[in-house]
Amino acid sequence: MAFFMSNENLIRKAKKLLEQGNLPKLQKVLSTFPASLLRQKLELELAVAVRQGLAIEVREALFDEYIAQFRNNCSAHNLLLAALVKVELSKWPEAGQLAKTVLEKNINSSERLSALEISLLAAFNTKNFQLARNYFELISDQNHPAFAGQKMMEWDLLLSSSENRHERVIEVWQGLGLVERCAVGDINNLLAPVLKAYLAYDRVDEAKAVAETYDLEEKYNSGSGLMLSELFKASGEFEKARLILVSIIQTKASVPEAEWNLALLELTMGNLDSGWEHYKARWRWDDFTSPRRYFDSTWWDGIHDLNGKSVLIWGEQGVGDQLRFLTLLPNFLKAYPSVSVFLEIDERLCPIVARWYPEATVQPYGPYDTRGQTSYSCFDYHFPSGDLGIYFFNTEEKLAASKFRALRVPDATKQQLMRPLHDLGFERFVGICWRSSLLTATRVQHYFSVEGFMTILKDLPDDVGLICLQIDLTTEERAFLSNDRRVYIPDIDFFQNIDAHAIYAGSCDILVTCRSIVATLAGLFGVPVISWMKWEDPTFLGQELHPWFPNRFDVKTRPGFDKRALARRLKDVVDKYFS
């Protein structure tokens, strides 16, 4: 007579075998489970997989099958285990979705903490930093001892870095003291944002002290290595910085950010060919400042003959970068005299670029993805404007032989624009700009206040008037300048009206300005520029003088430079110019 075990007894026996660790016998019992016990069978198989430490892919497949069939009846415990598998595989969206499902259930405080921590991880690693901050606040409100002290501080540091709150990063780091064991994983996870924060404030010596304390030069990973390279670059140790980036690229199959950083470093060092070659990596880096565009036409490789062809060159990066790259267009036109050129650029640049290159068709940006659109079917080739540097500015000989086409403001236009100052008796005109329009707590240190800047110009000859070309002039700045009869402030929104901005810059006799769009606009007209910039700025391409605009004189600054000393240096240059 056959003996049939009830479902309850089967489950009871299987659980007992699991507790005893008798896994071979358990597998035999599980094979007798009827279809009605599929959920319990899968749960026990999951428990076996976890105990045996089976390959993560095997565990994932079991959890996926289990959840697909029994999502509404899954226990919070198993959902959390499934989410942790996704975390281990860095499948952050799936981990976050599973954690969200857990949070919708009636769960205890420990399960809630686990689900919130997984949600925090998922949001942080998908770069949804505002959501990550929200989860962090929810966890903090629980006052759970498992997420207190060092762990909470480390997460605060990571989130503050993602929000570019560098001062807060430094504050938390100093509060942590010596970290012997990191609560959020690898110590490199903390060291990268800490170095970034110190470097943001040009506190190079303190960043070096951190790197030395944790022997970072021997123990960096791809994240902290990127910042360690920036530290060496800031301190002038370019070869050390280069070797770290090369090491990261060779160790990991694809780190486009490291290759992009290497491109900028090589260009800074004057290694033009290799620098421009690595410059191509920008389109493989998800966080590059410009979106990649897609066309049915062929991306020009710098080799194929373009004579008789139609080519679309599309602008990239900021408006200043677009203009700087287009200074190389005469070299391109000389190489391919019968090419038909179309330029797609920021709409605000179209009027000035159309006058600069009347032989080209100039139009505002189109859609990012043009594939299948008939209006773009006429192009044989396309390429981004930065590639002009790759092919026409990649040797010292090409720098020396580069053809520059300058714009010119008609005399009648100059007279009209300068009339408010001319009527006051001024005969020579200096354009002025002292800061970026985008000021942050870290960027402000690289610029002057208007009061500090005007000390540079206090001893100009009596016939010299000043044209304010500053974008986004504040009420306080306007009030201060209104007390100086030498200063004329055009009533124009220069941010939107770049064409007017350019014409004013081109009408000046000289500009004294920070590194900004104003300096580039003056350069297009061949107007002399006195400026200042970081000494490791890659746009110098390792040259002593500015290679893009030979009419510029730049005072190069080191990290933590003394503004008063810089002001005196600039004043000496300005005074000498007018002497």
Side-chain angles (χ1 to χ4, degrees), residues 494-521:
F494 285 140
F495 179 79
Q496 291 298 334
N497 195 339
I498 294 179
D499 192 35
H501 205 190
I503 295 172
Y504 267 101
S507 299
C508 294
D509 295 297
I510 187 172
L511 262 74
V512 182
T513 175
C514 62
R515 181 188 186 276
S516 69
I517 179 67
V518 183
T520 300
L521 294 174

PDB file of all heavy atoms in Angstrom, residues 494-521:
ATOM      1  N   PHE A 494      23.499  90.628 -22.675  1.00  0.00           N
ATOM      2  CA  PHE A 494      24.585  90.026 -23.438  1.00  0.00           C
ATOM      3  C   PHE A 494      24.524  88.504 -23.436  1.00  0.00           C
ATOM      4  O   PHE A 494      25.117  87.863 -24.310  1.00  0.00           O
ATOM      5  CB  PHE A 494      25.937  90.488 -22.895  1.00  0.00           C
ATOM      6  CG  PHE A 494      26.306  91.892 -23.272  1.00  0.00           C
ATOM      7  CD1 PHE A 494      26.913  92.741 -22.358  1.00  0.00           C
ATOM      8  CD2 PHE A 494      26.053  92.370 -24.547  1.00  0.00           C
ATOM      9  CE1 PHE A 494      27.263  94.034 -22.716  1.00  0.00           C
ATOM     10  CE2 PHE A 494      26.397  93.657 -24.924  1.00  0.00           C
ATOM     11  CZ  PHE A 494      27.011  94.493 -24.005  1.00  0.00           C
ATOM     12  N   PHE A 495      23.852  87.909 -22.459  1.00  0.00           N
ATOM     13  CA  PHE A 495      23.742  86.447 -22.447  1.00  0.00           C
ATOM     14  C   PHE A 495      22.945  85.969 -23.652  1.00  0.00           C
ATOM     15  O   PHE A 495      23.315  84.989 -24.306  1.00  0.00           O
ATOM     16  CB  PHE A 495      23.094  85.968 -21.155  1.00  0.00           C
ATOM     17  CG  PHE A 495      22.940  84.468 -21.084  1.00  0.00           C
ATOM     18  CD1 PHE A 495      24.021  83.660 -20.763  1.00  0.00           C
ATOM     19  CD2 PHE A 495      21.720  83.859 -21.369  1.00  0.00           C
ATOM     20  CE1 PHE A 495      23.889  82.273 -20.718  1.00  0.00           C
ATOM     21  CE2 PHE A 495      21.582  82.483 -21.324  1.00  0.00           C
ATOM     22  CZ  PHE A 495      22.666  81.687 -20.996  1.00  0.00           C
ATOM     23  N   GLN A 496      21.859  86.647 -23.944  1.00  0.00           N
ATOM     24  CA  GLN A 496      21.018  86.257 -25.069  1.00  0.00           C
ATOM     25  C   GLN A 496      21.521  86.829 -26.381  1.00  0.00           C
ATOM     26  O   GLN A 496      21.482  86.167 -27.417  1.00  0.00           O
ATOM     27  CB  GLN A 496      19.570  86.710 -24.823  1.00  0.00           C
ATOM     28  CG  GLN A 496      18.864  85.961 -23.709  1.00  0.00           C
ATOM     29  CD  GLN A 496      18.718  84.470 -23.993  1.00  0.00           C
ATOM     30  OE1 GLN A 496      18.684  84.040 -25.147  1.00  0.00           O
ATOM     31  NE2 GLN A 496      18.630  83.676 -22.938  1.00  0.00           N
ATOM     32  N   ASN A 497      22.001  88.060 -26.349  1.00  0.00           N
ATOM     33  CA  ASN A 497      22.401  88.733 -27.578  1.00  0.00           C
ATOM     34  C   ASN A 497      23.929  88.682 -27.729  1.00  0.00           C
ATOM     35  O   ASN A 497      24.638  89.666 -27.496  1.00  0.00           O
ATOM     36  CB  ASN A 497      21.910  90.182 -27.560  1.00  0.00           C
ATOM     37  CG  ASN A 497      21.968  90.821 -28.937  1.00  0.00           C
ATOM     38  OD1 ASN A 497      22.697  90.359 -29.818  1.00  0.00           O
ATOM     39  ND2 ASN A 497      21.199  91.875 -29.133  1.00  0.00           N
ATOM     40  N   ILE A 498      24.419  87.528 -28.098  1.00  0.00           N
ATOM     41  CA  ILE A 498      25.868  87.348 -28.247  1.00  0.00           C
ATOM     42  C   ILE A 498      26.397  88.160 -29.422  1.00  0.00           C
ATOM     43  O   ILE A 498      27.538  88.634 -29.405  1.00  0.00           O
ATOM     44  CB  ILE A 498      26.209  85.858 -28.402  1.00  0.00           C
ATOM     45  CG1 ILE A 498      25.885  85.115 -27.099  1.00  0.00           C
ATOM     46  CG2 ILE A 498      27.681  85.657 -28.751  1.00  0.00           C
ATOM     47  CD1 ILE A 498      26.160  83.626 -27.138  1.00  0.00           C
ATOM     48  N   ASP A 499      25.571  88.369 -30.441  1.00  0.00           N
ATOM     49  CA  ASP A 499      26.008  89.158 -31.577  1.00  0.00           C
ATOM     50  C   ASP A 499      26.344  90.589 -31.145  1.00  0.00           C
ATOM     51  O   ASP A 499      27.405  91.133 -31.502  1.00  0.00           O
ATOM     52  CB  ASP A 499      24.917  89.167 -32.645  1.00  0.00           C
ATOM     53  CG  ASP A 499      25.412  89.720 -33.973  1.00  0.00           C
ATOM     54  OD1 ASP A 499      26.584  89.489 -34.308  1.00  0.00           O
ATOM     55  OD2 ASP A 499      24.627  90.401 -34.657  1.00  0.00           O
ATOM     56  N   ALA A 500      25.467  91.206 -30.356  1.00  0.00           N
ATOM     57  CA  ALA A 500      25.743  92.555 -29.843  1.00  0.00           C
ATOM     58  C   ALA A 500      26.962  92.542 -28.929  1.00  0.00           C
ATOM     59  O   ALA A 500      27.799  93.458 -28.962  1.00  0.00           O
ATOM     60  CB  ALA A 500      24.526  93.095 -29.099  1.00  0.00           C
ATOM     61  N   HIS A 501      27.077  91.495 -28.121  1.00  0.00           N
ATOM     62  CA  HIS A 501      28.217  91.343 -27.221  1.00  0.00           C
ATOM     63  C   HIS A 501      29.515  91.337 -28.034  1.00  0.00           C
ATOM     64  O   HIS A 501      30.509  92.010 -27.681  1.00  0.00           O
ATOM     65  CB  HIS A 501      28.076  90.034 -26.451  1.00  0.00           C
ATOM     66  CG  HIS A 501      28.782  90.014 -25.132  1.00  0.00           C
ATOM     67  ND1 HIS A 501      28.933  88.865 -24.397  1.00  0.00           N
ATOM     68  CD2 HIS A 501      29.384  90.991 -24.411  1.00  0.00           C
ATOM     69  CE1 HIS A 501      29.584  89.138 -23.284  1.00  0.00           C
ATOM     70  NE2 HIS A 501      29.868  90.420 -23.265  1.00  0.00           N
ATOM     71  N   ALA A 502      29.511  90.599 -29.134  1.00  0.00           N
ATOM     72  CA  ALA A 502      30.695  90.489 -29.977  1.00  0.00           C
ATOM     73  C   ALA A 502      31.041  91.832 -30.612  1.00  0.00           C
ATOM     74  O   ALA A 502      32.217  92.230 -30.670  1.00  0.00           O
ATOM     75  CB  ALA A 502      30.464  89.440 -31.062  1.00  0.00           C
ATOM     76  N   ILE A 503      30.032  92.544 -31.085  1.00  0.00           N
ATOM     77  CA  ILE A 503      30.291  93.818 -31.768  1.00  0.00           C
ATOM     78  C   ILE A 503      30.847  94.845 -30.791  1.00  0.00           C
ATOM     79  O   ILE A 503      31.760  95.616 -31.127  1.00  0.00           O
ATOM     80  CB  ILE A 503      29.006  94.321 -32.458  1.00  0.00           C
ATOM     81  CG1 ILE A 503      28.615  93.344 -33.569  1.00  0.00           C
ATOM     82  CG2 ILE A 503      29.198  95.717 -33.016  1.00  0.00           C
ATOM     83  CD1 ILE A 503      27.261  93.621 -34.187  1.00  0.00           C
ATOM     84  N   TYR A 504      30.332  94.857 -29.562  1.00  0.00           N
ATOM     85  CA  TYR A 504      30.891  95.757 -28.550  1.00  0.00           C
ATOM     86  C   TYR A 504      32.345  95.386 -28.253  1.00  0.00           C
ATOM     87  O   TYR A 504      33.222  96.250 -28.157  1.00  0.00           O
ATOM     88  CB  TYR A 504      30.059  95.709 -27.277  1.00  0.00           C
ATOM     89  CG  TYR A 504      28.982  96.766 -27.220  1.00  0.00           C
ATOM     90  CD1 TYR A 504      27.653  96.457 -27.512  1.00  0.00           C
ATOM     91  CD2 TYR A 504      29.289  98.078 -26.872  1.00  0.00           C
ATOM     92  CE1 TYR A 504      26.665  97.425 -27.475  1.00  0.00           C
ATOM     93  CE2 TYR A 504      28.307  99.057 -26.817  1.00  0.00           C
ATOM     94  CZ  TYR A 504      26.993  98.727 -27.124  1.00  0.00           C
ATOM     95  OH  TYR A 504      26.017  99.692 -27.082  1.00  0.00           O
ATOM     96  N   ALA A 505      32.600  94.075 -28.089  1.00  0.00           N
ATOM     97  CA  ALA A 505      33.978  93.636 -27.817  1.00  0.00           C
ATOM     98  C   ALA A 505      34.900  94.009 -28.975  1.00  0.00           C
ATOM     99  O   ALA A 505      36.031  94.462 -28.771  1.00  0.00           O
ATOM    100  CB  ALA A 505      34.009  92.132 -27.567  1.00  0.00           C
ATOM    101  N   GLY A 506      34.411  93.831 -30.197  1.00  0.00           N
ATOM    102  CA  GLY A 506      35.213  94.141 -31.369  1.00  0.00           C
ATOM    103  C   GLY A 506      35.403  95.630 -31.607  1.00  0.00           C
ATOM    104  O   GLY A 506      36.262  96.023 -32.406  1.00  0.00           O
ATOM    105  N   SER A 507      34.626  96.456 -30.922  1.00  0.00           N
ATOM    106  CA  SER A 507      34.739  97.910 -31.068  1.00  0.00           C
ATOM    107  C   SER A 507      35.716  98.523 -30.080  1.00  0.00           C
ATOM    108  O   SER A 507      36.011  99.719 -30.165  1.00  0.00           O
ATOM    109  CB  SER A 507      33.353  98.554 -30.898  1.00  0.00           C
ATOM    110  OG  SER A 507      32.453  98.097 -31.883  1.00  0.00           O
ATOM    111  N   CYS A 508      36.182  97.731 -29.136  1.00  0.00           N
ATOM    112  CA  CYS A 508      37.108  98.237 -28.119  1.00  0.00           C
ATOM    113  C   CYS A 508      38.531  98.275 -28.672  1.00  0.00           C
ATOM    114  O   CYS A 508      38.869  97.586 -29.635  1.00  0.00           O
ATOM    115  CB  CYS A 508      37.059  97.350 -26.878  1.00  0.00           C
ATOM    116  SG  CYS A 508      35.476  97.377 -26.000  1.00  0.00           S
ATOM    117  N   ASP A 509      39.376  99.066 -28.032  1.00  0.00           N
ATOM    118  CA  ASP A 509      40.793  99.086 -28.378  1.00  0.00           C
ATOM    119  C   ASP A 509      41.542  97.949 -27.688  1.00  0.00           C
ATOM    120  O   ASP A 509      42.547  97.461 -28.199  1.00  0.00           O
ATOM    121  CB  ASP A 509      41.412 100.424 -27.961  1.00  0.00           C
ATOM    122  CG  ASP A 509      40.819 101.574 -28.749  1.00  0.00           C
ATOM    123  OD1 ASP A 509      40.992 101.588 -29.972  1.00  0.00           O
ATOM    124  OD2 ASP A 509      40.155 102.436 -28.140  1.00  0.00           O
ATOM    125  N   ILE A 510      41.043  97.543 -26.530  1.00  0.00           N
ATOM    126  CA  ILE A 510      41.642  96.456 -25.766  1.00  0.00           C
ATOM    127  C   ILE A 510      40.617  95.974 -24.749  1.00  0.00           C
ATOM    128  O   ILE A 510      39.706  96.728 -24.366  1.00  0.00           O
ATOM    129  CB  ILE A 510      42.945  96.905 -25.055  1.00  0.00           C
ATOM    130  CG1 ILE A 510      43.651  95.700 -24.411  1.00  0.00           C
ATOM    131  CG2 ILE A 510      42.670  98.010 -24.046  1.00  0.00           C
ATOM    132  CD1 ILE A 510      45.042  96.035 -23.867  1.00  0.00           C
ATOM    133  N   LEU A 511      40.729  94.720 -24.334  1.00  0.00           N
ATOM    134  CA  LEU A 511      39.870  94.192 -23.272  1.00  0.00           C
ATOM    135  C   LEU A 511      40.717  93.765 -22.093  1.00  0.00           C
ATOM    136  O   LEU A 511      41.815  93.202 -22.278  1.00  0.00           O
ATOM    137  CB  LEU A 511      39.056  92.984 -23.759  1.00  0.00           C
ATOM    138  CG  LEU A 511      37.613  93.277 -24.184  1.00  0.00           C
ATOM    139  CD1 LEU A 511      37.617  93.977 -25.530  1.00  0.00           C
ATOM    140  CD2 LEU A 511      36.780  92.006 -24.233  1.00  0.00           C
ATOM    141  N   VAL A 512      40.217  94.002 -20.902  1.00  0.00           N
ATOM    142  CA  VAL A 512      40.774  93.426 -19.684  1.00  0.00           C
ATOM    143  C   VAL A 512      39.656  92.567 -19.101  1.00  0.00           C
ATOM    144  O   VAL A 512      38.619  93.083 -18.696  1.00  0.00           O
ATOM    145  CB  VAL A 512      41.224  94.506 -18.685  1.00  0.00           C
ATOM    146  CG1 VAL A 512      41.834  93.848 -17.447  1.00  0.00           C
ATOM    147  CG2 VAL A 512      42.212  95.460 -19.329  1.00  0.00           C
ATOM    148  N   THR A 513      39.864  91.266 -19.101  1.00  0.00           N
ATOM    149  CA  THR A 513      38.761  90.365 -18.776  1.00  0.00           C
ATOM    150  C   THR A 513      39.270  89.056 -18.202  1.00  0.00           C
ATOM    151  O   THR A 513      40.418  88.654 -18.422  1.00  0.00           O
ATOM    152  CB  THR A 513      37.925  90.065 -20.044  1.00  0.00           C
ATOM    153  OG1 THR A 513      36.919  89.091 -19.746  1.00  0.00           O
ATOM    154  CG2 THR A 513      38.801  89.526 -21.171  1.00  0.00           C
ATOM    155  N   CYS A 514      38.396  88.391 -17.480  1.00  0.00           N
ATOM    156  CA  CYS A 514      38.686  87.036 -17.037  1.00  0.00           C
ATOM    157  C   CYS A 514      38.560  86.090 -18.229  1.00  0.00           C
ATOM    158  O   CYS A 514      38.166  86.499 -19.328  1.00  0.00           O
ATOM    159  CB  CYS A 514      37.699  86.627 -15.934  1.00  0.00           C
ATOM    160  SG  CYS A 514      35.976  86.616 -16.478  1.00  0.00           S
ATOM    161  N   ARG A 515      38.880  84.833 -18.013  1.00  0.00           N
ATOM    162  CA  ARG A 515      38.716  83.814 -19.052  1.00  0.00           C
ATOM    163  C   ARG A 515      37.216  83.580 -19.231  1.00  0.00           C
ATOM    164  O   ARG A 515      36.574  82.951 -18.402  1.00  0.00           O
ATOM    165  CB  ARG A 515      39.410  82.525 -18.627  1.00  0.00           C
ATOM    166  CG  ARG A 515      39.329  81.388 -19.635  1.00  0.00           C
ATOM    167  CD  ARG A 515      39.876  80.116 -19.029  1.00  0.00           C
ATOM    168  NE  ARG A 515      39.948  79.025 -19.973  1.00  0.00           N
ATOM    169  CZ  ARG A 515      38.933  78.214 -20.278  1.00  0.00           C
ATOM    170  NH1 ARG A 515      37.757  78.408 -19.714  1.00  0.00           N
ATOM    171  NH2 ARG A 515      39.092  77.205 -21.138  1.00  0.00           N
ATOM    172  N   SER A 516      36.665  84.086 -20.299  1.00  0.00           N
ATOM    173  CA  SER A 516      35.222  83.983 -20.522  1.00  0.00           C
ATOM    174  C   SER A 516      34.933  84.152 -22.002  1.00  0.00           C
ATOM    175  O   SER A 516      35.834  84.376 -22.821  1.00  0.00           O
ATOM    176  CB  SER A 516      34.480  85.056 -19.717  1.00  0.00           C
ATOM    177  OG  SER A 516      34.763  86.342 -20.255  1.00  0.00           O
ATOM    178  N   ILE A 517      33.660  84.089 -22.354  1.00  0.00           N
ATOM    179  CA  ILE A 517      33.233  84.275 -23.729  1.00  0.00           C
ATOM    180  C   ILE A 517      33.668  85.638 -24.252  1.00  0.00           C
ATOM    181  O   ILE A 517      33.951  85.806 -25.432  1.00  0.00           O
ATOM    182  CB  ILE A 517      31.696  84.100 -23.839  1.00  0.00           C
ATOM    183  CG1 ILE A 517      31.196  84.309 -25.274  1.00  0.00           C
ATOM    184  CG2 ILE A 517      30.975  85.057 -22.918  1.00  0.00           C
ATOM    185  CD1 ILE A 517      31.645  83.277 -26.247  1.00  0.00           C
ATOM    186  N   VAL A 518      33.784  86.635 -23.363  1.00  0.00           N
ATOM    187  CA  VAL A 518      34.166  87.988 -23.777  1.00  0.00           C
ATOM    188  C   VAL A 518      35.556  87.979 -24.409  1.00  0.00           C
ATOM    189  O   VAL A 518      35.794  88.615 -25.436  1.00  0.00           O
ATOM    190  CB  VAL A 518      34.129  88.958 -22.580  1.00  0.00           C
ATOM    191  CG1 VAL A 518      34.450  90.369 -23.039  1.00  0.00           C
ATOM    192  CG2 VAL A 518      32.773  88.926 -21.905  1.00  0.00           C
ATOM    193  N   ALA A 519      36.492  87.260 -23.800  1.00  0.00           N
ATOM    194  CA  ALA A 519      37.853  87.179 -24.341  1.00  0.00           C
ATOM    195  C   ALA A 519      37.849  86.525 -25.713  1.00  0.00           C
ATOM    196  O   ALA A 519      38.568  86.956 -26.626  1.00  0.00           O
ATOM    197  CB  ALA A 519      38.742  86.403 -23.380  1.00  0.00           C
ATOM    198  N   THR A 520      37.029  85.503 -25.890  1.00  0.00           N
ATOM    199  CA  THR A 520      36.947  84.828 -27.187  1.00  0.00           C
ATOM    200  C   THR A 520      36.352  85.751 -28.240  1.00  0.00           C
ATOM    201  O   THR A 520      36.846  85.818 -29.371  1.00  0.00           O
ATOM    202  CB  THR A 520      36.096  83.550 -27.064  1.00  0.00           C
ATOM    203  OG1 THR A 520      36.701  82.679 -26.104  1.00  0.00           O
ATOM    204  CG2 THR A 520      35.986  82.834 -28.395  1.00  0.00           C
ATOM    205  N   LEU A 521      35.301  86.476 -27.886  1.00  0.00           N
ATOM    206  CA  LEU A 521      34.662  87.387 -28.836  1.00  0.00           C
ATOM    207  C   LEU A 521      35.635  88.469 -29.291  1.00  0.00           C
ATOM    208  O   LEU A 521      35.702  88.806 -30.477  1.00  0.00           O
ATOM    209  CB  LEU A 521      33.422  88.017 -28.204  1.00  0.00           C
ATOM    210  CG  LEU A 521      32.266  87.049 -27.892  1.00  0.00           C
ATOM    211  CD1 LEU A 521      31.168  87.760 -27.129  1.00  0.00           C
ATOM    212  CD2 LEU A 521      31.714  86.421 -29.170  1.00  0.00           C
TER     213      LEU A 521
END
